[in-house]
Amino acid sequence: MPKFSGFVVAIITAVGLAIFMRKTKTGKALRATSLDREAANLMGINQYRVYNIAFGLGTAIAGIAGCVLIPFYYVYPSVGVVFDIRAFIIVVLGGLGSIPGAILGGLVIGLIESVFSQFMASTWTEAIIYAIFLIILFVKPSGFFGHKQDW
């Protein structure tokens, strides 16, 4: 399997999720419930059904990610811990709730890892990722495509 196949599957999955969330009634119900449970419930959306769909969708995407990563990483029970903090950084960089932002955040982190790891140790690469993460949080706390929340 070529190395870029993981990238292709990830992009197809992200674009499919974005289309699903924007164009289908179920996706709109998921977004409405995530914004305001009570208002969505008043509009006739069964929030418990939406929770089950969201859990199933998240599990399916995690399964796709696992299948894509198996050719590149050793498999052991706590392998997911390696990706937890990195996934958090990617989502926050892109802007919470923004699928295109998550794609851009993943590309930025991936490029930093691949380019800087050629010139220095991997621990320094992670330090650079954390430094860039902190700088972007100070400059634009909502992320690349996030919107300022008025609470």
Side-chain angles (χ1 to χ4, degrees), residues 62-127:
I64 292 170
C67 290
V68 168
L69 290 174
I70 282 177
F72 306 113
Y73 289 93
Y74 293 114
V75 178
Y76 52 94
S78 61
V79 71
V81 174
V82 175
F83 303 105
D84 283 346
I85 294 175
R86 191 147 302 128
F88 173 75
I89 290 172
I90 289 169
V91 169
V92 172
L93 277 181
L96 294 175
S98 172
I99 295 172
I103 292 172
L104 180 64
L107 286 173
V108 167
I109 297 298
L111 286 172
I112 290 170
E113 281 183 347
S114 62
V115 170
F116 284 105
S117 66
Q118 300 296 320
F119 303 111
M120 58 187 67
S122 63
T123 53
W124 281 106
T125 304
E126 289 195 27

Side-chain angles (χ1 to χ4, degrees), residues 10-90:
I11 293 297
I12 290 171
T13 303
V15 169
L17 178 66
I19 290 171
F20 173 78
M21 293 297 281
R22 294 276 178 199
K23 301 293 183 188
T24 64
K25 276 186 155 182
T26 306
K28 290 177 183 178
L30 281 164
R31 290 188 303 139
T33 305
S34 73
L35 289 175
D36 191 352
R37 283 185 306 205
E38 294 167 4
N41 198 15
L42 290 172
M43 294 295 122
I45 297 172
N46 184 352
Q47 64 184 2
Y48 299 109
R49 183 173 157 258
V50 168
Y51 293 156
N52 291 334
I53 290 170
F55 180 79
L57 194 60
T59 304
I61 291 173
I64 292 170
C67 290
V68 168
L69 290 174
I70 282 177
F72 306 113
Y73 289 93
Y74 293 114
V75 178
Y76 52 94
S78 61
V79 71
V81 174
V82 175
F83 303 105
D84 283 346
I85 294 175
R86 191 147 302 128
F88 173 75
I89 290 172
I90 289 169

